Amino acid sequence: RAYDDPIRLGIAPLLETRTDATFQFVGSRYSVSPSYDVERMSKVIEGALDSDVELLLFPEMSVAEAQLDYLSNNILTRWRDHAKKRGREPSLRYVMAGVSGTPVVAGERHKNFVVMIDRLGREVMRQGKLHRWNLEPVHISRYGLDLEFKVEGPLEEDIDPASNVTILDVVDLGRIIHLICADANFNTP
């Protein structure tokens, strides 16, 4: 495979409705965590395998940290089942999942990161979000967030930003660097 060959990319917006995510507000900070049925992930992986997708992306905050083992095991199981059913290896090589992390200690900030998982369910890369995406009053109105309190300034994303950038060279794919949401607004990490 040449580096300029196109890659079949699948994007799975798992958070499709307001009820697919839970918003939490603490003072002037907010966090988001997924609240959909995890079986949806299985259906998306199966669809990616059926469509010969090579790289599957679950956008930011689409997967709860507690669901990572489920996701990894599901990728491996469905990949193997698909290989047996079709008599050849599926095209799916990697899944990149945007994860909403859980604070280790109550009161700590959340982690917001992306993981890259190979077809055997192994995590090969993890990158934390570098910059918060703070919601200005115009965003709160635009997204229809019904707040039970008055917002004077921006709501701060309740994450602990990462301080480093991971770069990964992948055979037949190229050099990978993950930027999450607001990270893409900065010229340098």
Side-chain angles (χ1 to χ4, degrees), residues 6 37 59 61 84-85 96 104 131 136 141 146 148 162 180:
D37 181 359
M61 297 183 283
K84 286 178 189 173
K85 185 169 62 175
M96 294 180 189
V104 177
H131 303 282
E136 298 290 339
S141 174
D146 300 321
E148 297 174 3
I180 304 168

Side-chain angles (χ1 to χ4, degrees), residues 6 37 39 55 66 82 86 109 116 121 145-146 153 173 177 181:
D37 181 359
E39 273 303 306
L55 184 62
H82 213 78
R86 285 192 167 181
R109 291 183 180 261
M116 185 171 173
L145 298 176
D146 300 321
L173 197 56
I177 181 172
C181 188

Side-chain angles (χ1 to χ4, degrees), residues 86-176:
R86 285 192 167 181
R88 65 173 176 85
E89 287 190 357
S91 299
L92 184 63
R93 297 178 57 206
Y94 296 100
V95 174
M96 294 180 189
V99 179
S100 178
T102 306
V104 177
V105 177
E108 282 187 354
R109 291 183 180 261
H110 297 258
K111 300 287 185 191
N112 184 335
F113 57 95
V114 65
V115 294
M116 185 171 173
I117 302 169
D118 71 9
R119 62 186 173 207
L120 299 178
R122 299 175 300 201
E123 185 177 313
V124 295
M125 181 180 185
R126 181 180 289 229
Q127 174 64 55
K129 186 172 182 179
L130 301 165
H131 303 282
R132 291 182 179 100
W133 187 52
N134 298 327
L135 294 174
E136 298 290 339
V138 67
H139 298 122
I140 295 165
S141 174
R142 182 183 307 151
Y143 302 132
L145 298 176
D146 300 321
L147 304 179
E148 297 174 3
F149 55 91
K150 185 169 173 40
V151 177
E152 297 296 328
L155 283 174
E156 183 179 272
E157 186 176 11
D158 192 19
I159 65 164
D160 184 16
S163 58
N164 61 352
V165 175
T166 303
I167 300 171
L168 180 68
D169 287 315
V170 180
V171 175
D172 293 338
L173 197 56
R175 182 163 283 168
I176 303 286

Side-chain angles (χ1 to χ4, degrees), residues 5-67:
D5 285 347
I7 296 169
R8 289 182 306 278
L9 174 68
I11 301 175
L14 293 171
L15 305 180
E16 297 180 295
T17 69
R18 181 80 161 51
T19 58
D20 290 338
T22 302
F23 291 80
Q24 297 171 329
F25 302 96
V26 177
S28 63
R29 300 186 316 202
Y30 78 94
S31 61
V32 180
S33 52
S35 54
Y36 60 85
D37 181 359
V38 295
E39 273 303 306
R40 187 180 298 174
M41 275 192 273
S42 300
K43 292 176 183 172
V44 168
I45 292 167
E46 194 64 41
L49 290 164
D50 287 340
S51 302
D52 287 325
V53 165
E54 295 172 278
L55 184 62
L56 177 60
L57 173 65
F58 294 131
E60 180 184 15
M61 297 183 283
S62 293
V63 178
E65 189 170 13
Q67 297 168 334

